[in-house]
Amino acid sequence: MGNEQGSVLNREPLQSPCKTSWNASSDGLTGREGHAAASVNNKVYFYGGSGLDHLFELSVFDVEDQKWKDIPVFGENPGPLCNPSLTAIGCKLYLFGGLN
């Protein structure tokens, strides 16, 4: 996640505003950029983006236990998207737009 001198990373620094410090998150998410993210109940959900190709993975980072998990997509999969928008309303996630 993120971009550092042309390479796509799979680690994201986590900032703690209360402590004004940064910690590296655990590895687990496929390296990407141009992804969408939204949070629900101390979990941050990520969809799409691009690494070597456009991605269609739905993953979640649990803020409390600091672990990544891939989530199976049921029903019609929106397919691989770069630069989509993901919005959380209540306990539902809404995915809009993106390039395939």
Side-chain angles (χ1 to χ4, degrees):
M1 186 165 27
N3 194 307
E4 182 177 284
Q5 299 174 355
S7 63
V8 179
L9 307 175
N10 67 343
R11 291 183 311 133
E12 186 67 17
L14 303 174
Q15 207 277 337
S16 175
C18 297
K19 296 179 183 178
T20 62
S21 64
W22 289 90
N23 296 316
S25 70
S26 59
D27 292 341
L29 184 66
T30 301
R32 66 187 65 204
E33 62 184 356
H35 55 279
S39 64
V40 176
N41 297 331
N42 290 325
K43 292 179 172 53
V44 184
Y45 294 85
F46 296 84
Y47 186 84
S50 62
L52 298 175
D53 292 310
H54 290 347
L55 303 169
F56 58 93
E57 301 167 338
L58 177 62
S59 302
V60 63
F61 180 72
D62 188 312
V63 175
E64 292 178 7
D65 69 12
Q66 302 282 299
K67 293 187 179 177
W68 291 100
K69 180 179 168 184
D70 288 328
I71 299 173
V73 177
F74 298 99
E76 187 176 339
N77 188 317
L81 295 173
C82 186
N83 298 316
S85 175
L86 188 63
T87 301
I89 300 175
C91 290
K92 292 185 178 183
L93 296 171
Y94 297 88
L95 184 68
F96 300 96
L99 303 170
N100 56 7

